[in-house]
Structure formats: C-alpha cells, structure tokens
Amino acid sequence: MNLEENNYKKITFKYYSNILEEETVETMWGEIIDESKGIYKLDNIPFYEPLIASDDIFYAEFDDNEEGLVFREVIESSGNSVVQVVILKEDFDKEIIRKEVFDLGCESEGMNDNFFVIEIPINVNYNLIKKLLDEFENDKFIEYAEPILSIKHQDDIIEINL
C-alpha cells in the first residue's frame, strides 16, 4: 500500500535528542487534515521526538533544503503519551513487557532488542502502565523515560498519590 496515495505524507522531524545526545532526524507519517494549510495528524509512535505524540495535530511546511515536509509545531494535543523503554538486562525479552502493555490497551513499537516505545492512549489509566514499568525498573530489567506525558496521564499519577 502506498500511504501517500491514501491521504498520508512523510514528514521529517528534526530535533536534539537527549537520549542520543546529538541532532536527530526522524521521519514519520502524517495523515493529511488540511494540506493547503500544512495541517497533519501524526500516525506513528515517535522513537525519539520529544515534542509530539501519536494523533497530535501539527503544522508542517515544505523545506527546500530537506526537499520535503518538515515538522514545525504541535497545534493540538491528542492527550496520548509516549514512554521510551531501554532494556538493561542482557537476554531479557522485551516482548514480555510489550505484550503486557498491549493487554492494558497500549501499542508499542520496537527499534531493536534493547529499545522500544509505548503509546499510551488518552483513555488508558497511566497508573497501570507506570506500576508495571516501575516493577521491571526496580528489578533492574529496564529504565524508562516519559518524554511526552499528557495532562490526563499526569493527573492519573497525581490522583493515586492523593
């Protein structure tokens, strides 16, 4: 299937990655919302991009140097969150965690054997995911980061601590 023929465009995201400690380029798919105004909806889970989550509405424009569309800013947050997970323990099967978060309503995407990202939809209680990740982190299997944690998911954490 050619996504560009089905209302999607490839968008380039350029930013400094604290994880990689370097300037980074990530290419993701944007669903066309209003092409004439440069408005798209993110159709991927970002691996490193710290400013956007899946289903966020954003502005992109054509960049002559990049010879394509380049992300400029988020216009409307979807309320989804993104968590990055690094596997610390050699021979630990990341699919164990990926299956557990899938069973809790979250998609994930692996980059390699030691790194994957989790998309937490707005309707999922983040406390369930955080509790699971904390258990694996306390056992030194993983470390995780929350580069995009929506207000709703921040509130999930606050409610449990009250």
Side-chain angles (χ1 to χ4, degrees):
M1 170 176 80
N2 182 349
L3 287 176
E4 288 201 36
E5 293 175 4
N6 290 315
N7 210 32
Y8 292 84
K9 294 285 185 180
K10 278 189 176 183
I11 314 287
T12 299
F13 292 76
K14 298 172 78 174
Y15 51 91
Y16 182 82
S17 169
N18 290 327
I19 292 175
L20 301 175
E21 296 181 341
E22 63 185 31
E23 291 295 321
T24 304
V25 175
E26 189 170 354
T27 303
M28 295 183 272
W29 289 104
E31 180 182 356
I32 298 168
I33 302 299
D34 187 336
E35 192 168 19
S36 67
K37 294 181 180 175
I39 309 298
Y40 301 87
K41 179 169 80 170
L42 188 63
D43 192 51
N44 291 99
I45 307 170
F47 280 112
Y48 299 111
E49 170 58 57
L51 302 174
I52 194 166
S54 54
D55 294 333
D56 284 359
I57 306 295
F58 64 94
Y59 172 69
E61 64 184 356
F62 189 84
D63 183 295
D64 291 329
N65 293 331
E66 294 296 324
E67 298 179 355
L69 293 167
V70 176
F71 166 80
R72 297 297 184 220
E73 67 179 323
V74 173
I75 297 170
E76 181 182 322
S77 171
S78 63
N80 295 341
S81 296
V82 176
V83 173
Q84 300 164 326
V85 180
V86 176
I87 306 299
L88 300 176
K89 189 169 180 7
E90 194 173 318
D91 297 326
F92 179 77
D93 184 2
K94 74 178 185 301
E95 299 305 318
I96 294 167
I97 299 174
R98 291 185 67 194
K99 182 184 180 327
E100 288 195 42
V101 298
F102 180 80
D103 291 345
L104 293 170
C106 300
E107 296 288 330
S108 66
E109 191 166 335
M111 173 168 267
N112 54 42
D113 289 341
N114 299 321
F115 181 77
F116 67 98
V117 289
I118 304 168
E119 169 194 59
I120 298 99
I122 189 170
N123 62 339
V124 170
N125 184 335
Y126 182 59
N127 279 317
L128 301 173
I129 307 302
K130 185 165 182 56
K131 180 181 176 193
L132 173 73
L133 295 175
D134 284 346
E135 289 173 11
F136 282 103
E137 188 172 60
N138 289 338
D139 291 338
K140 308 289 188 218
F141 289 111
I142 67 164
E143 285 185 355
Y144 71 95
E146 303 162 323
I148 296 286
L149 197 58
S150 71
I151 292 171
K152 188 271 185 190
H153 292 132
Q154 291 174 41
D155 288 346
D156 288 347
I157 296 169
I158 292 169
E159 288 176 16
I160 200 79
N161 292 325
L162 292 179

